[in-house]
Amino acid sequence: MKEKRLKTKKEPYVATTDSCKLCAPLGACLAFKGVEGSVPFLHGSQGCATYMRRYVISHFREPVDIASSSLGEKHAIYGGGPNLKQGLKNVMSKYHCGLIGVATTCLTETIGDDTSRLVKEFQDEFSEETLKHGRPSIVNVSTPSYSGSHIDGFQSAVRAIVDQLASNLPSCGNTVNLFPGFVSPADTRYLKEIVHDFGLNPVILPDISETLDAPAAVEYEKIPSGGTPIASIKAMGTASFSVEFGRCLTDSISAAKVLADRFKVPSKKLGTPIGLRETDIFMNTLEEISCRKTPVKYELERGRLIDSYVDGHKYISGKRAVIYGDPDMVVGLASFLTEIGIKPVLCATGAKSQHFHTAIKAVTEGILDETPEVSDNIDFFDIEETAEKFRPDVLLGSSKGYKLARKWNIPLVRLGFPIHDRFGAQRICQLGYKGTQDLFDMIVNAVIQATQDRSPIGYTYI
Ligand code: SF4
């Protein structure tokens, strides 16, 4: 099946075939998983929660509880309010949690449930009940999946957490807020280490470093330890600075913007630090905030990275890559590939992104003769059609690109979300000098292996 455009009298109808994104409340659940003592709660049907649990567990290989208001057909007519309230009571009594993150689904958005009002009603009607369970915070976020991707749901949830919890309660000094976007648990741990090494106290939101990559436990923990402490979120308004990753992030879903507007916390929006240039910008920002030089440890990592660029250049120079995934990851990868001599011929994302084109242009211009082909709101059908003409040498993105890599007989370097057909996705590190080093080695080795596999005589210099 090649042709998928169905002409109508008004305008061409374009069906999505094999989408390059996941659903918005799934992204919100991932953000809620990065808050200490938190339980994600879907206001919708069981099926949505089951699908999301399956996806998240298969990537992170961790147990992930997602509660649901368990709506059925009749609630589509009468509304889901009573189920939502009963569900919240159940979660409180079963989990004794610190926060319940309520995200809406397609169903509750379509029937028009006013979730903010229902949560408020619940808090008024059951104030004694909530007191009995330590009065957990309830944050709600609107995440209609038909109008956004998982990354929109993720960013909206981060913003909602800040919007509904942050205040200017006193903090423990020298605090810097860091909003990294959707990065791996390993990257989150590394970011925390970097900010600490500049003598700063990082509040990273969300912090999935332990909650989605926990040590083996003797007994099952309903809520894994770790996550951004709620007390730290409440004190975010008194931080000395906010750093937010995301060249594609709009002000309307920026958490740092909320803190800047409400509490005058100065902030800087940076590119996701993949590659030398974007990491240099991040390190320079930390130098300015902390008034300290970059620690020697990172100077050494940087030096080793440049050395490997020199050593590996002969294997990858002039290769063509197709990159797809979340907008800010693709922008970071485009910046990195450009500086190592690989031409990103197609930069694609399934999300609708206002700043995607300009961000790709900004990170590639001055090195590439022309901006690569850039597409947002695209599915894998169109990625295939568009990329085929470029005859790429390598694909970079989630495991959903496997079919294309197999068809074109080229390597797929698995990055981003979801990765279902490989092991260790939660430990992939691609940020900072160290993460870029890992990424560079992976790409060079993937290209070398592809050359060896295609060679009729194999590799003789062993
Ligand atoms: S796309 Fe909508 S219906 Fe499907 S799982 Fe997500 S929220 Fe549920």
Side-chain angles (χ1 to χ4, degrees), residues 6-183:
L6 309 174
K7 299 272 179 202
T8 66
K9 276 183 192 152
K10 288 184 184 156
E11 54 183 29
Y13 166 73
V14 181
T16 299
T17 307
D18 198 2
S19 65
C20 181
K21 61 181 177 185
L22 300 163
C23 92
L26 185 152
C29 290
L30 288 169
F32 288 131
K33 281 298 290 178
V35 177
E36 190 178 53
S38 157
V39 177
F41 184 113
L42 285 185
H43 185 31
S45 67
Q46 284 278 9
C48 299
T50 306
Y51 148 70
M52 290 176 212
R53 275 198 298 267
R54 179 226 169 277
Y55 250 76
V56 176
I57 291 170
S58 158
H59 178 90
F60 291 99
R61 317 240 176 191
E62 292 288 344
V64 176
D65 288 11
I66 297 176
S68 143
S69 51
S70 199
L71 303 188
E73 287 85 348
K74 71 174 184 191
H75 305 107
I77 299 162
Y78 298 114
N83 271 44
L84 173 65
K85 291 172 187 174
Q86 185 58 48
L88 290 171
K89 278 206 278 184
N90 293 348
V91 168
M92 281 181 194
S93 64
K94 286 199 164 62
Y95 285 87
H96 307 289
C97 49
L99 179 137
I100 305 176
V102 181
T104 56
T105 61
C106 299
L107 173 65
T108 46
E109 287 288 339
T110 306
I111 64 177
D113 265 3
D114 183 347
T115 309
S116 302
R117 180 181 56 78
L118 291 169
V119 167
K120 175 89 185 46
E121 271 177 25
F122 172 81
Q123 283 165 325
D124 294 341
E125 282 170 35
F126 301 101
S127 60
E128 282 194 16
E129 187 90 13
T130 58
L131 189 61
K132 199 165 77 193
H133 297 294
R135 200 159 271 170
S137 304
I138 304 176
V139 170
N140 70 87
V141 60
S142 163
T143 44
S145 204
Y146 44 79
S147 66
S149 68
H150 63 281
I151 206 68
D152 297 304
F154 181 94
Q155 299 290 13
S156 300
V158 174
R159 188 186 189 281
I161 293 166
V162 170
D163 184 40
Q164 294 167 42
L165 295 185
S167 66
N168 49 5
L169 285 179
S171 65
C172 52
N174 229 6
T175 301
V176 171
N177 304 320
L178 177 58
F179 300 103
F182 182 21
V183 299

Side-chain angles (χ1 to χ4, degrees), residues 175-240:
T175 301
V176 171
N177 304 320
L178 177 58
F179 300 103
F182 182 21
V183 299
S184 76
D187 275 327
T188 312
R189 278 194 289 276
Y190 182 44
L191 288 172
K192 227 187 292 188
E193 185 184 328
I194 293 174
V195 181
H196 263 302
D197 287 343
F198 276 86
L200 301 164
N201 179 21
V203 177
I204 299 191
L205 182 70
D207 180 354
I208 57 168
S209 60
E210 283 181 61
T211 54
L212 288 174
D213 190 16
V218 180
E219 283 191 26
Y220 176 65
E221 285 182 304
K222 276 193 192 151
I223 302 178
S225 47
T228 321
I230 293 174
S232 302
I233 299 172
K234 288 189 173 162
M236 276 183 143
T238 49
S240 60

Side-chain angles (χ1 to χ4, degrees), residues 347-387:
C347 301
T349 181
K352 284 183 205 158
S353 176
Q354 203 182 322
H355 302 303
F356 190 52
H357 289 64
T358 41
I360 295 283
K361 187 169 188 291
V363 297
T364 57
E365 86 183 335
I367 302 182
L368 293 183
D369 294 339
E370 56 184 43
T371 308
E373 185 126 346
V374 181
S375 275
D376 72 328
N377 197 22
I378 193 173
D379 63 8
F380 277 101
F381 180 94
D382 288 320
I383 290 177
E384 178 177 353
E385 237 182 21
T386 314

